[in-house]
Structure formats: structure tokens, C-alpha cells
């Protein structure tokens, strides 16, 4: 362990939180020997405060006496923990800015945001200051930064990795994740954290309505990934669209609203009392989300949870145990740091229409880092059956080598 004055990283991108500048050496040797990682400041690390992106949270919670099991497992596999990095406030955003601690720089796309809420994780990895970083993904908080910053990232199967000793956002949808700047490291971390699953992917789908939500720059990349997968799996791709209760297509905005309602109620049940008894000083967009969350009735939440269960059953039935789907990881390239709020919100809504699919279904989704014709980072994702996370990672890294 080290103190502030001995912290060995020159934080050129503003990724680290002030209370996160410490080092913990590996607990043992293992598959991750020589690798350095950072932890999003929602993960508990024994002896160090957890801030969750908000000074009022930092001041009102005791220093943890136990670490996240994921932190312990990584230290036990030979990796060094290089402190804690920024998150959007209580992880309630996919933009990547923080009114209290700043907006980290995106080394992969200068002048643009990193995306959030795993903003510091993405910034630190994109700048090669660490080899990988722990993040979380509830509504897209790892998949979106991965797409914006030319990184490998994912959403894990819901409940597959322990969420103990971690600040929740929406427990119904929270997952533990990581970002890496190269495929080999990404896969090594997966092999360390994830249970082995022999995925046998035989069917391939393209999510047409999700693709329609994304900017046209994604279209050739989705096509390239789909063609590579078709060769790898020796099968022809099939188009698929979301459908509503009556079977009608074009239902992704209904799915997004289902996710927003169910998750917001869940978040208020988790944090409402703390928010009501403190003065968190949230940034205006995040404060507005919490105000909305406080107004959702139990009846509305119950209806949303029922709809979410139907959507999950539909998606899981469609994929089965051997299905695989391709979709963009976000709706656009990373927005400019000075983009107008209404433009940011429009991108957020389109992105949530895509990211809510895996969120509602509780399924794994891996984002492959690619670039558009203009050179900007863009991610294309593979969505797979529950528990296929490691197999999905390995397939994605094989396919990326063909692109």
C-alpha cells in the first residue's frame, strides 16, 4: 500500500478521484501477474473510502472494512490495484461527466466524453495508465464507454458475479464488469472472474430495430462483424425485431420505458431515504432522474416489472441456448464535451433503446472495439444466452482478429 505522495501514476486524463490514489500489491501470483487495474469508485476496498461519485456520499458513509470479492480475486490472481477512479454520481448516467470531480479526458477521441458511468475506468484504460479497470453496467455503463473509447467491455449475465461490498444503483439490473484495451487482457480477466461455460453458438441474428437506432456509421461495422460470425459459425444470419405484448414490431421505446420505470423505482427504494435526509448536490440531469424516480408508484413499478419479465422471457426464448445476436453498442460516437444538453439527452434515449435489451433480459453482451470511416471509436456488440459470458468473450476476440 502507498500514500498520496508516492502514487506512481501521472493522471494525465483526470480519471482518479482524490481519495483513490493508493496502490495495493498482489496477494499472490497468478494468471494476471504484472497487470495493473483500477476500480470504479463504487467498489469497496478495505481501508479506503467509497465515494460513489458524490462528496455527500463519501462524507456520510464509513470506510469499508471488507473489499469487493472481485477486487480480492484479482489481487489473488497477481494483479496490482492502482486505486479508485471516477464514476458518474451514484452511477446514474451514461454521459461520463461529474459536477464535483470533473469530466475525464478520452484519449481515444480527444474533445469527446468517455461515456459513463464507468467514466474513470474508461479514461484510465484508454490512456494506457492501467491494463484494465473494474466497472459496472446497469443501463449501459460499461458498454457505452467501451464504444466511445475504443475498448473491450461487456455487461455480464445478471447475478453471475458477486455484487457484495459495492454501491448499488438499481439492484434489479446492476452487473459487475471490466474494460480492457486489448483482447488478450480482456479475456484473461474473464477467465479469472467468470465460470467456464462451453458456449455452442449455432444461430445468428441481427437486431434490426436496434441497428436502426444507431447512426449510419455503425452499419458497415455491423455488417463486417455479422459476416465474420457467419463464417465462424457456418450459419446464415437472420433479422430479428423486438415486439410488444400484441406482437407488433417497433417496440424498443416501450422496452426502454419499461426499463426506466422498473429501474427508477428500484433505485429510489435503494437510495431514496439517504437522498431525502442528505443534500447530495446532484448535477441537474441526475437530480431530475432522482426526482422522477421518487414519483413512481408501486402500481406502476409492479406493471413495469411484469412487462420486464415478459420481455426477458421473449428474448431468452428467442436466443435459446445456442443463439447469438449482433447490435451496435451505442447510438453514436462519443458526444463532444461541449455538446448541448438536448443533444446529449437525444443520444441517451436512443442508446437506452438498445442497451435495455440485455438489461431487461439479464443477458451478457460483449462490445468489440472498432472505428468508423472518420476514425472515431464505435463498438459493435454480441449478445448471448445467460451464462455464456466467457464463451462470448472468446468468440468475440476470435472474430475481431478477422476484421
Amino acid at each position: 500500500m502507498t500514500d498520496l505522495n508516492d502514487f506512481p501514476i501521472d493522471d494525465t486524463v483526470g480519471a482518479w478521484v482524490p481519495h483513490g490514489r493508493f496502490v495495493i500489491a498482489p496477494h499472490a501470483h497468478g494468471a494476471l501477474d504484472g497487470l495493473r487495474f483500477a476500480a470504479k469508485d463504487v467498489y469497496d476496498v478495505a481501508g479506503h473510502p467509497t465515494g460513489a461519485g458524490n462528496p455527500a456520499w463519501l462524507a456520510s458513509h464509513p470506510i469499508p472494512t471488507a473489499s469487493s470479492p472481485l477486487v480480492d480475486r484479482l489481487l489473488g490472481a497477481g494483479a496490482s490495484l492502482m486505486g479508485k477512479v471516477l464514476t458518474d454520481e451514484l452511477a446514474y448516467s451514461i454521459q461520463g461527466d461529474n459536477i464535483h470531480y470533473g469530466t475525464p479526458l478520452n484519449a481515444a477521441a480527444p474533445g469527446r466524453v468517455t461515456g459513463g458511468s464507468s467514466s474513470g475506468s474508461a479514461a484510465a484504460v484508454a490512456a494506457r495508465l492501467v491494463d484494465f479497470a473494474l466497472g459496472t453496467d446497469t443501463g449501459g455503463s460499461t458498454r457505452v464507454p467501451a464504444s466511445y473509447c475504443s475498448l473491450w467491455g461487456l455487461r455480464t449475465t445478471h447475478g453471475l458475479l458477486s455484487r457484495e461490498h459495492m454501491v448499488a444503483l438499481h439492484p434489479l439490473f446492476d452487473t459487475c464488469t471490466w474494460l480492457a484495451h486489448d483482447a488478450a487482457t480482456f479475456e484473461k480477466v474473464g477467465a479469472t472472474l467468470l465460470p467456464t461455460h462451453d458456449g455452442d453458438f449455432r444461430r445468428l441474428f441481427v437486431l434490426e430495430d436496434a441497428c436502426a437506432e444507431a447512426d449510419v456509421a455503425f452499419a458497415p461495422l455491423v455488417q463486417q462483424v455479422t459476416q465474420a460470425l457467419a463464417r465462424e459459425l457456418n450459419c446464415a444470419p437472420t433479422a430479428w425485431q423486438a415486439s410488444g405484448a400484441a406482437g407488433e414490431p417497433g417496440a424498443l421505446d416501450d422496452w426502454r420505458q419499461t426499463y426506466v420505470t422498473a429501474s427508477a423505482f428500484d433505485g429510489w427504494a435503494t437510495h431514496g431515504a439517504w437522498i431525502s435526509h442528505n443534500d447530495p448536490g446532484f448535477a441537474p440531469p441526475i437530480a431530475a432522474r432522482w426526482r422522477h424516480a421518487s414519483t413512481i408508484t408501486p402500481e406502476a413499478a409492479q406493471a413495469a416489472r411484469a412487462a420486464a419479465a415478459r420481455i426477458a422471457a421473449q428474448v431468452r426464448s428467442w436466443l435459446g441456448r445456442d443463439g447469438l445476436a449482433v447490435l451496435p453498442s451505442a447510438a453514436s460516437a462519443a458526444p463532444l464535451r461541449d455538446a448541448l444538453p438536448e443533444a446529449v439527452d437525444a443520444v441517451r434515449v436512443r442508446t437506452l433503446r438498445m442497451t435495455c435489451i440485455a438489461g431487461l433480459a439479464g443477458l451478457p453482451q460483449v462490445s468489440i472495439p472498432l472505428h468508423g470511416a472518420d476514425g472515431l471509436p464505435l463498438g459493435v456488440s454480441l449478445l448471448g444466452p445467460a451464462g455464456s459470458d466467457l464463451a462470448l468473450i472468446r468468440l468475440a476476440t476470435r472474430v475481431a482478429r478477422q476484421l
Side-chain angles (χ1 to χ4, degrees):
M1 194 178 299
T2 189
D3 63 28
L4 175 64
N5 295 325
D6 296 327
F7 191 64
I9 290 179
D10 180 12
D11 183 10
T12 55
V13 293
W16 270 260
V17 289
H19 52 278
R21 299 171 68 83
F22 60 87
V23 176
I24 298 179
H27 295 164
H29 291 291
L32 304 182
D33 279 358
L35 297 180
R36 307 196 306 176
F37 76 103
K40 181 177 182 176
D41 193 26
V42 296
Y43 286 91
D44 286 347
V45 176
H48 298 276
T50 302
N54 183 273
W57 184 277
L58 182 70
S60 61
H61 288 79
I63 293 177
T65 57
S67 296
S68 158
L70 274 67
V71 170
D72 283 338
R73 196 179 309 174
L74 294 168
L75 291 168
S80 299
L81 174 59
M82 311 304 292
K84 302 180 79 172
V85 287
L86 268 166
T87 174
D88 295 22
E89 294 182 82
L90 290 186
Y92 211 174
S93 177
I94 56 172
Q95 174 68 359
D97 51 9
N98 188 301
I99 195 172
H100 308 286
Y101 300 115
T103 303
L105 301 178
N106 183 346
R112 296 175 181 266
V113 298
T114 59
S117 61
S118 304
S119 54
S121 300
V125 177
R128 305 298 194 265
L129 300 179
V130 290
D131 299 293
F132 67 97
L134 287 174
T136 61
D137 193 301
T138 302
S141 288
T142 291
R143 290 166 287 170
V144 172
S147 185
Y148 287 0
C149 297
S150 191
L151 301 174
W152 287 90
L154 80 164
R155 176 193 173 85
T156 51
T157 297
H158 192 264
L160 191 64
L161 296 180
S162 173
R163 288 170 288 148
E164 289 184 300
H165 304 296
M166 187 184 88
V167 180
L169 170 57
H170 304 142
L172 283 175
F173 301 103
D174 293 343
T175 64
C176 299
T177 67
W178 65 97
L179 293 144
H181 52 66
D182 65 273
T185 300
F186 185 62
E187 187 173 333
K188 278 184 183 180
V189 177
T192 299
L193 295 178
L194 295 166
T196 300
H197 176 93
D198 296 324
D200 186 18
F201 305 113
R202 297 175 182 272
R203 296 178 298 129
L204 177 60
F205 301 91
V206 178
L207 303 190
E208 282 194 332
D209 46 357
C211 292
E213 295 292 341
D215 290 352
V216 295
F218 284 88
L221 304 180
V222 169
Q223 184 178 28
Q224 291 170 27
V225 171
T226 302
Q227 290 172 344
L229 283 166
R231 292 191 299 268
E232 180 78 17
L233 303 179
N234 192 28
C235 67
T238 302
W240 183 85
Q241 288 193 11
S243 63
E248 74 278 7
L252 280 187
D253 196 61
D254 292 337
W255 288 22
R256 178 192 65 85
Q257 190 57 58
T258 293
Y259 167 78
V260 167
T261 301
S263 63
F265 184 87
D266 191 36
W268 190 254
T270 303
H271 293 306
W274 179 81
I275 293 171
S276 298
H277 288 90
N278 287 273
D279 182 17
F282 290 134
I286 293 176
R289 283 175 209 135
W290 285 116
R291 283 195 301 272
H292 170 71
S294 72
T295 68
I296 295 172
T297 65
E299 294 76 17
Q302 183 178 5
R305 286 195 294 267
R310 291 193 297 270
I311 292 166
Q314 179 187 149
V315 176
R316 287 182 174 228
S317 173
W318 152 66
L319 281 180
R321 296 302 307 163
D322 62 355
L324 179 73
V326 183
L327 71 161
S329 303
S332 74
L336 293 168
R337 290 168 66 91
D338 60 356
L340 295 174
E342 53 268 30
V344 169
D345 195 55
V347 168
R348 180 177 181 273
V349 168
R350 286 195 291 136
T351 295
L352 282 174
R353 289 178 187 141
M354 295 158 23
T355 59
C356 74
I357 299 170
L360 291 166
L363 297 180
Q365 181 179 330
V366 173
S367 182
I368 300 171
L370 300 169
H371 289 83
D374 57 4
L376 289 175
L378 300 173
V380 173
S381 282
L382 310 186
L383 173 73
S388 68
D389 305 49
L390 187 53
L392 202 64
I393 287 171
R394 288 172 171 163
L395 175 62
T397 58
R398 290 200 306 273
V399 165
R401 289 194 289 269
Q402 301 177 33
L403 302 177

